[in-house]
Amino acid sequence: MKLDRRDFMKFSGAAAAGIAVSGLGFDLKPVKSHAGMLKTRYAKETTTICCYCAVGCGAIVHTSKRGDGRVINIEGDPDHVINRGALCSKGSSLKQLTENENRLTEPMYRAPYSDKWQTVSWDWALDKIAERVKKTRDTSFETTNAKGQTVNRTTRMASVGSAAMDNEECWIYQALMRSLGLVYVEHQARI
Amino acid sequence: MTNHWIDIQNSDCILIMGSNAAENHPISFKYVTKAMEKGAPLINVDPRFTRTSAKADIYAALRSGTDIAFLGGMIKYILDNNLYNKEYTAAYTNASFLVDESFGFKDGLFSGYRKNSGDGPSMGGYDKSSWAFQMDDKGIPRMDKTLKDKHCVFQLMKKHYERYDIDTVVKVTGTAGKDLLKVYETYTATGKTGKAGTIMYAMGWTQHTVGTQMIRTMAMIQLLLGNMGVAGGGVNALRGESNVQGSTDHCLLWHIWPGYLKTARASNDTLEAYNKKYTPKSNDPLSANWWQNYPKYSVSLLKSFFGDKAIPENQFGYTWLPKVDDGAVYSWFDLFDAMYKGNLEGFFAWGQNPACSGSNASKIRKALEKLDWMVNVNIFDNETGSFWRGPGAEPSKIGTEVFMLPASVSVEKEGSITNSGRWMQWRYQGPKPLGNSRPDGDIIMELGHRIKEKYKASDGVFKHPILNLKWDYETNGAYDPHKAAKEINGYFVKDVTVKGKLCKKGTLVPSFAWLQADGSTSSGNWLYCNSYTEKGNMSARRSKKDAANNIGLYPEFAWCWPVNRRILYNRASVDPKGHPWDDKQWVIKFAGESKDGKYTSKKWLGDVPDGGWYPLENPDGTRRSDAKQPFIMRKHGFGQIFGPGRADGPFPEHYEPLECPVEKNYFSSRMVNPTAVVYSTKEDGHASCDPRFPFVGTTYRVSEHWQTGLMTRPQKWLMELQPNVFVEMSEELAKLRGIKNGERVLVSSARANLECTAIVTKRFKPFTIGYATVHQVGIPWHYGWRWPATGTEESANLLTPPAGDPNTRIPETKAFMVNVTKL
């Protein structure tokens, strides 16, 4: 009998469910079979690559198809040719990174000289940022340098980041920054 | 990595130095272990006995910052004992090249040195004209294949490393002589044809004032031993962030544009001048000189930036992009130096935490106070976004306004990342973004639209680049990573016939060999051309089928740059006739037909060859005129034992860290790299051989945390495993200072004080350096006041120095001087 990973999961789930009445005096069978099904029946399965170091380990994300639609479990991907299902301590806690009460969920603003954050809307925040960018750029833009050479840049705005972004995001981000005339564009690779 | 993770299993000897792979890249050990099971010895060289050392067959201790002395000694050992791979060295490296007769080296300085007497952090630089190769009348480097000419690279190298004898190396590194010899003997055995040795290094090498040259010393060893291009060999940087390879390839760095093209300098006044300046010329018909294609890549990039607005008449928008001043540097250190001096108004900290990650972090924190505005994009609040309420900050005196934008985590969005082995891997969306968080891509697109709208709606300075920026990476109003990925790969923007084939407008370019310099193609990054083609998204592939050589290349799993070549410089894995040096673990082999001792057709098996040309020689040993040398990215086609491109010298030389425990450099009278960069505001203190700071300090990582800890410190399990910033020290030092394991102590440097928990272990041992005892301590740099909420665990980068490597300006956070006292 040849089993692929998916069949194996179903098979082992059924075996676990088959354990008869436990010594506790009540039947755990329905609980176990429900737990087994959480990942396979009630969840969407997607593959991901770990967001920590650059080994590039594969992981499987199980996202609930019901209720809050959040992550049920993240585990190593046995079909990934690099890690073959294994993960380190950080990779094993990927779910806690995602489902984490400390995460930022709203844009926030700290006014000059203020001692607190205030929650703001995306619309307001992005509009104000665009305004600041334009003002700084327009007041500091150098079309030529001290030698009279064309430079078309601003040195009064800078950007750092990010190796935590996807490739496609990195590319569009650098394009935006360079179109604005930034020359101070740096990130993690430098340090 | 020139090779990739799985390929480590093919190694005959693994050297881990400048990295603690078992702790920080744990899954890499799957392949280290596989190699060990087949008999490969594992060597680990590190100041501390780490988790990697615990797995090693041979462990040797060395004082932080002395790796060039250690490896320079290995070069001398190779040459003295005739252990270099003679055929490989003569055929594929520049060992035979003759260098200008005026080239010289005396007492720590190469010819052409000029001390910096003006402004700027650089201590000095070189006029490199005497480092040039001698050319024949055709403009091809003169060579002496017997390697005997006194001006040839081989002889110059021999002379340079004569001083690196065992006794001197031991005096500098503090390594026991017998350990040194054991490492040399074991590793250099891979010089034998058919044997492969690999190096796994990380920040333990890059973060020094001589970091680049540490890596170069090892690259020279790999060339001498014939370990480049082969399975189980190479020079392998273990990169620390999941996509730091990709973000570097796409050049979120001041000095390069996507695909490692040069950022335009002010003197490159036209596109033509720019292309001319950066397109190398070789007169040798045997040199592929791959960068001769530069204009195809630069014009295709401009087409990606500006789409149909980029036309020949406006130099494809070349003048719209910012130019940097000739000779000026705009790196991380310089950026924060300018910010500290009040020369910046606005700042984006996007997915990065400089208040903890930058060397001499207190200067960075003070610099943030000088800004008018800052945008901080992250998944958690961090020490950067909340700098105004950090330790010692007075909000009522800080005028910086801060916008904090919540980003989604990686599993909440779709896109690709590139691992250390250059594998681009696609990942998918699981849950939707939490709360009102948004994927970075959506935030970037929306910000771009808003800026464009503002420039459309009102007056503004030099609007062209903003209004003309191609900005359509969306579907139904949302950021579409597939559109961006296709842009990066590139399109034919008109019907064009290339290589006799009609390529239709709007179709994806199959590979960079099809890119054009006339504006008929666009490609956001030539290196990624071939990643997303008419055949589909190559990075999403999942086949577990191996290639014909069965060495774990898995060519149809994900995609790897360039053109899915899994091992770089793989044409050096075959002899000049195209036969693999190693028949069992071959990477590529030539399988063309031959007649009367001459090859008559071209065919390679195995990995994607580094160019599909004929081998250099026919089966009968005659040289072919239509072949190419294997190191195709080098102008002359050879591996560079002599590296005239580096700022600090064509051969690596040992210098002490900016802050060091010794008053004498045993190799020369120059203490510090004479081209290092050192910053000099009042926040940039440093102290060498200062009795106030008697111990060597270094920073490192632990398995349970990651970088500044921002993605691990707000988590329960990981914080429970590693709750405190600690300073690890030897039992001897603890005794000297009366410190007990587990108590809180103060670590101080010329920059700052840091409270840490003392961890007293046998893993550090005092070194004997020269004739003195030198203690070293280590501190993980994962902490910061924001998490945990106690605010007591701070960043080790408050202690680290204001100096860096002259080539990269990467800070010297791996070797500095501290004191440790009881609280």
Side-chain angles (χ1 to χ4, degrees), chain A residues 33-93:
Chain A
S33 59
H34 177 72
M37 283 191 297
L38 277 176
K39 286 196 304 189
T40 52
R41 181 180 291 181
Y42 306 132
K44 172 174 90 166
E45 191 182 78
T46 50
T47 57
T48 192
I49 304 298
C50 180
C51 59
Y52 290 107
C53 87
V55 172
C57 297
I60 298 173
V61 183
H62 293 101
T63 306
S64 176
K65 285 186 197 164
R66 308 192 302 187
D68 61 3
R70 300 306 305 170
V71 172
I72 297 168
N73 185 51
I74 302 181
E75 65 192 36
D77 179 353
D79 295 328
H80 193 283
V81 296
I82 295 175
N83 61 309
R84 305 269 177 184
L87 289 176
C88 74
S89 50
K90 293 184 293 293
S92 305
S93 65

Side-chain angles (χ1 to χ4, degrees), chain B residues 105-124:
Chain B
F105 175 81
K106 200 178 164 193
D107 191 26
L109 289 178
F110 295 90
S111 46
Y113 182 69
R114 283 179 303 207
K115 193 169 187 270
N116 180 16
S117 47
D119 295 335
S122 172
M123 291 174 70

Side-chain angles (χ1 to χ4, degrees), chain B residues 199-324:
Chain B
I199 169 68
M200 296 164 68
Y201 76 93
M203 297 316 201
W205 273 0
T206 58
Q207 293 175 337
H208 293 278
T209 43
V210 289
T212 305
Q213 296 286 25
M214 285 182 184
I215 299 158
R216 244 193 68 70
T217 324
M218 192 66 212
M220 289 166 66
I221 291 170
Q222 291 297 67
L223 286 170
L224 285 169
L225 299 176
N227 282 335
M228 293 303 294
V230 302
V235 172
N236 296 303
L238 314 188
R239 307 207 66 172
E241 307 241 357
S242 61
N243 196 33
V244 75
Q245 185 61 56
S247 56
T248 306
D249 300 335
H250 298 307
C251 298
L252 283 164
L253 291 162
W254 78 269
H255 69 296
I256 36 179
W257 286 347
Y260 301 93
L261 305 182
K262 309 280 192 219
T263 295
R265 295 274 177 185
S267 62
N268 314 140
D269 55 348
T270 62
L271 175 61
E272 196 187 345
Y274 168 81
N275 280 335
K276 196 172 166 205
K277 172 85 182 169
Y278 301 116
T279 307
K281 273 210 167 63
S282 166
N283 291 336
D284 187 348
L286 292 178
S287 175
N289 183 27
W290 195 265
W291 281 112
Q292 68 175 293
N293 297 302
Y294 197 98
K296 297 174 186 171
Y297 309 152
S298 61
V299 172
S300 295
L301 172 65
L302 289 166
K303 286 295 292 177
S304 266
F305 267 112
F306 301 116
D308 54 16
K309 298 291 192 310
I311 53 175
E313 293 71 29
N314 62 18
Q315 304 178 60
F316 301 103
Y318 171 76
T319 57
W320 297 335
L321 286 174
K323 310 293 181 295
V324 294

Side-chain angles (χ1 to χ4, degrees), chain A residues 17 39 56 80 91 102 108 135:
Chain A
K39 286 196 304 189
H80 193 283
N102 294 321
M108 295 198 290
K135 184 177 167 236

Side-chain angles (χ1 to χ4, degrees), chain B residues 586-640:
Chain B
W586 57 278
V587 183
I588 57 166
K589 64 168 117 178
F590 192 71
E593 292 160 304
S594 62
K595 198 182 167 194
D596 303 333
K598 307 279 191 275
Y599 287 126
T600 53
S601 70
K602 278 188 282 191
K603 188 183 178 187
W604 290 91
L605 298 177
D607 196 7
V608 178
D610 236 335
W613 302 280
Y614 278 106
L616 287 159
E617 291 178 5
N618 283 309
D620 63 5
T622 51
R623 302 284 292 180
R624 291 191 71 101
S625 59
D626 52 1
K628 301 290 175 203
Q629 302 289 355
F631 287 88
I632 62 170
M633 300 313 286
R634 308 312 319 173
K635 183 161 83 172
H636 303 300
F638 291 81
Q640 301 209 122

Side-chain angles (χ1 to χ4, degrees), chain B residues 455-470:
Chain B
Y455 274 89
K456 255 182 228 156
S458 64
D459 288 344
V461 178
F462 200 61
K463 292 179 170 190
H464 320 288
I466 296 171
L467 298 183
N468 293 334
L469 178 68
K470 187 169 176 286

Side-chain angles (χ1 to χ4, degrees), chain A residues 52 70 77 80 82 90 108-110 122-123 132 134 137-138 162 168 171 178 185-187 191, chain B residues 31 207 242 247 252-254 332 351 400-401 404 416 425 432 436 450 455 459 461 524 542 703:
Chain A
Y52 290 107
R70 300 306 305 170
D77 179 353
H80 193 283
I82 295 175
K90 293 184 293 293
M108 295 198 290
Y109 176 70
R110 184 262 175 180
W122 275 104
D123 184 52
R132 304 293 184 272
K134 184 166 188 299
R137 182 181 180 276
D138 285 356
S162 176
E168 298 73 28
W171 195 91
R178 290 186 161 121
V185 177
E186 287 278 278
H187 84 293
I191 56 172
Chain B
Y31 300 102
Q207 293 175 337
S242 61
S247 56
L252 283 164
L253 291 162
W254 78 269
W332 177 276
T400 312
E401 60 175 350
M404 179 118 80
S416 73
Q425 304 192 85
K432 290 196 167 61
N436 254 331
R450 295 206 180 220
Y455 274 89
D459 288 344
V461 178
R542 298 273 301 179
S703 196

